[in-house]
Amino acid sequence: MSVQFEDVKIAHERIKDYIHRTPVLTSKTLNTIANAELFFKCENFQKAGAFKFRGATNAVFSLSNEEAQAGVVTHSSGNHAGALALAAKQRGCPAYLVMPVNATKVKKEAVLGYGGKIIECGTTMSSREEVVQQVIADTNAALIHPYNDERIIAGQGTATLELVEEIDDLDAVLAPVSGGGLLSGTAIAAKGLKKDILVYGCEPKNADDAYQSMQSGKLQSIDNPQTIADGLRASLGDKTFAIIKEFVDGIYLVTEEEIITAMKYLWERMKIVVEPSGSVGLAALLRSKPELYGKRVGIILSGGNVDLGNSPF
Amino acid sequence: MSVQFEDVKIAHERIKDYIHRTPVLTSKTLNTIANAELFFKCENFQKAGAFKFRGATNAVFSLSNEEAQAGVVTHSSGNHAGALALAAKQRGCPAYLVMPVNATKVKKEAVLGYGGKIIECGTTMSSREEVVQQVIADTNAALIHPYNDERIIAGQGTATLELVEEIDDLDAVLAPVSGGGLLSGTAIAAKGLKKDILVYGCEPKNADDAYQSMQSGKLQSIDNPQTIADGLRASLGDKTFAIIKEFVDGIYLVTEEEIITAMKYLWERMKIVVEPSGSVGLAALLRSKPELYGKRVGIILSGGNVDLGNSPF
């Protein structure tokens, strides 16, 4: 059974006392550049620095007491790991985080700061999954997959639930797509509240598995793609792809250069720190999108966890 | 006649439809580091990227129609220039901005973007003032001094008016000090609303003219001091010093390293872009301040205009 709009509403009730209700910001300068009226949902201000805390909190607080005692385990290049560690801390249960060796220092430090236990793995998806299975065998911890999980999808959808409830008459919502947890939740929430709203995924050209999957109608994956958007290296899962295929109107591809330019606008003009992965929604609008001209467009700024020592500027 | 609390209230009425009422943000992580409850007034989100727009708008909209026609002129290393250019644009009058050759590129671009006319000068205060006099001789423009001006002082005070009205029971307010327009306005607004509130100025050790002036009781100045806080290179004026001497409880000095560390916290933890000059309030709290332990402390984050290509990280 797939995720329904009702599940997003239940998730919001479950997590609303643990998460930040993040602000929606606007910028006249960026409206002019995009030729549209933009509403930025600032999940970079979310606890643990990204929307991932929503799904993680929903998953952790969905566990029975017995399950929670054994703890939770996941694999993640960073934001889901930090989010799950903090969510587990709030429930008082152990968290085991399988992270690739190339995860950024700031993301690892965040996990440790939240009391999570890091287990390193290689950079491929198969290496991640092997190590996770080992942890489960050792601890009996509950696997909280970073995206291919109904509880995660419903939790991530709550950002758009807040956005579409708060901003009247949105015509479209743009969200980054990686494993698809955010994009599938976004689509369910947006279309549950407003039937004719358009939903677009935004994805680096260098990691275009969602675009390829939508084009071919079959789930495609890319192993270890190279992009500055380190949070967008994963490929869709079967659960997220099924939802995206049904509810998402298209995938916008963005170049590495467009990602950096969009980040620069967000930092220099809006004075907010957004990570490369979080900037792809604005990046998509740097190339002409006539279908959105003059429209009211929501953009999910998905996270703000950056290593300043490793900035592209 | 010096600036009164009533003047700050009148300034707020005059400018409130032109400025942003900026948000007040909090951070549990930074509270723990400072051992105090911190309330950050985000003037980095102000129009033109800094609190300077408040004073500039108050000054420009205080002019008669005849005065406004001839335009306005000032000297500034950056933020006051951008602010005055935008304020003048809103009133529809010309703005002449005398800027030192070492002003940052992003600040010059902002001025040009607002339709201001830049006239370059040397890096010393005497060079700035000479060029300003030449512009006045040529255009009859009204001089809007960046800080030693009652209209500017009253306008800058409106940030603290909003902060102290919004956050109950503040014990202290910290503001950067350079020429003293912000700090003197802050003191008048804070003590006008709450008699026993403490007000501290925060200043780079490398540009400690306000500290020296307070110690000696006599106005001191430093020509062309070197600090990463490029907005804090000016020295107090006679009008701002008179107010600061009467109403400010002390000056905290901060090192260059403390400024950079504070900036890093604001960017990485709070996900907001604050310039070096805007970070000195938090920088002051990185060194133990027992008089503020457990207190409710307002901090003015004065601006967010940075050249990302020239960041200290």
Side-chain angles (χ1 to χ4, degrees), chain B residues 7 11 21 34 59 61 67 112-113 124 128 140 179 184 246 267 269:
Chain B
D7 298 318
R21 186 177 177 111
F61 283 87
E67 287 170 324
L112 297 174
T124 62
R128 290 181 178 205
N140 203 28
S184 56
E246 185 173 352
W267 292 38
R269 305 298 178 97

Side-chain angles (χ1 to χ4, degrees), chain A residues 154-173:
Chain A
Q156 316 305 31
T158 61
T160 293
L161 191 77
E162 294 173 5
L163 173 66
V164 179
E165 276 180 355
E166 185 172 327
I167 306 298
D168 289 339
D169 298 322
L170 276 185
D171 297 300
V173 179

Side-chain angles (χ1 to χ4, degrees), chain A residues 277-308:
Chain A
S277 307
S279 309
V280 294
L282 178 61
L285 293 175
L286 298 182
R287 194 175 301 189
S288 182
K289 297 285 179 291
E291 64 274 26
L292 299 178
Y293 282 179
K295 304 283 187 186
R296 291 164 68 83
V297 181
I299 295 182
I300 313 288
L301 300 179
S302 55
N305 293 324
V306 292
D307 227 334
L308 287 176

Side-chain angles (χ1 to χ4, degrees), chain B residues 13-311:
Chain B
E13 279 303 307
R14 184 180 285 126
I15 70 177
K16 70 179 199 294
D17 294 339
Y18 299 100
I19 62 169
H20 285 316
R21 186 177 177 111
T22 54
V24 177
L25 299 184
T26 60
S27 161
K28 284 186 188 165
T29 306
L30 295 183
N31 287 352
T32 304
I33 289 167
N35 199 4
E37 204 176 345
L38 308 182
F39 298 89
F40 295 95
K41 178 67 171 169
C42 291
E43 289 295 300
N44 55 326
F45 293 156
Q46 188 51 264
K47 286 187 187 168
F51 74 95
K52 294 272 186 180
F53 186 64
R54 295 175 180 268
T57 303
N58 189 47
V60 166
F61 283 87
S62 297
L63 296 175
S64 70
N65 286 338
E66 197 184 348
E67 287 170 324
Q69 265 187 339
V72 289
V73 59
T74 197
H75 62 84
S76 160
S77 63
N79 279 333
H80 177 61
L84 190 65
L86 183 58
K89 189 184 176 194
Q90 299 214 355
R91 178 120 195 220
C93 69
Y96 306 96
L97 298 317
V98 175
M99 299 181 75
V101 290
N102 62 350
T104 64
K105 188 167 148 268
V106 71
K107 290 182 181 175
K108 286 184 184 171
E109 281 173 355
V111 167
L112 297 174
Y114 301 137
K117 184 169 179 182
I118 296 177
I119 301 109
E120 285 206 335
C121 67
T123 57
T124 62
M125 198 49 62
S126 57
S127 163
R128 290 181 178 205
E129 284 168 359
E130 260 170 48
V131 179
V132 163
Q133 289 311 319
Q134 190 56 52
V135 174
I136 293 173
D138 294 347
T139 64
N140 203 28
L143 172 63
I144 311 288
H145 192 279
Y147 48 86
N148 209 36
D149 179 306
E150 288 82 359
R151 301 161 296 184
I152 293 292
I153 294 168
Q156 316 305 31
T158 61
T160 294
L161 191 79
E162 293 174 4
L163 173 66
V164 179
E165 275 180 355
E166 185 172 328
I167 306 298
D168 290 338
D169 297 324
L170 275 186
D171 298 300
V173 179
L174 272 57
V177 57
S178 179
L182 177 63
L183 181 58
S184 56
T186 297
I188 291 167
K191 302 213 167 179
L193 282 170
K194 192 165 185 285
K195 211 176 163 187
D196 62 344
I197 201 168
L198 295 168
V199 176
Y200 293 95
C202 302
E203 186 174 47
K205 254 193 184 121
N206 288 1
D208 66 346
D209 67 284
Y211 179 80
Q212 297 293 347
S213 299
M214 290 282 269
Q215 289 291 103
S216 66
K218 284 179 193 166
L219 188 57
Q220 317 269 319
S221 73
I222 300 177
D223 206 24
N224 198 23
Q226 296 303 307
T227 168
I228 188 178
D230 63 296
L232 303 184
R233 290 183 189 142
S235 295
L236 295 179
D238 58 342
K239 293 176 186 177
T240 55
F241 180 49
I243 296 168
I244 289 168
K245 203 160 56 166
E246 185 173 352
F247 294 110
V248 170
D249 297 282
I251 306 287
Y252 291 143
L253 294 179
V254 299
T255 65
E256 299 296 292
E257 202 185 342
E258 286 164 347
I259 294 171
I260 293 170
T261 303
M263 260 181 91
K264 199 161 187 264
Y265 279 129
L266 293 165
W267 292 38
E268 281 195 350
R269 305 298 178 97
M270 289 188 69
K271 320 296 182 193
I272 58 176
V273 172
V274 181
E275 61 187 89
S277 307
S279 308
V280 293
L282 178 60
L285 293 175
L286 298 181
R287 194 175 300 189
S288 182
K289 296 284 180 290
E291 64 275 25
L292 299 178
Y293 282 178
K295 304 283 187 187
R296 291 164 68 81
V297 180
I299 295 181
I300 313 289
L301 300 178
S302 54
N305 292 324
V306 292
D307 226 338
L308 288 175
N310 195 18
S311 124

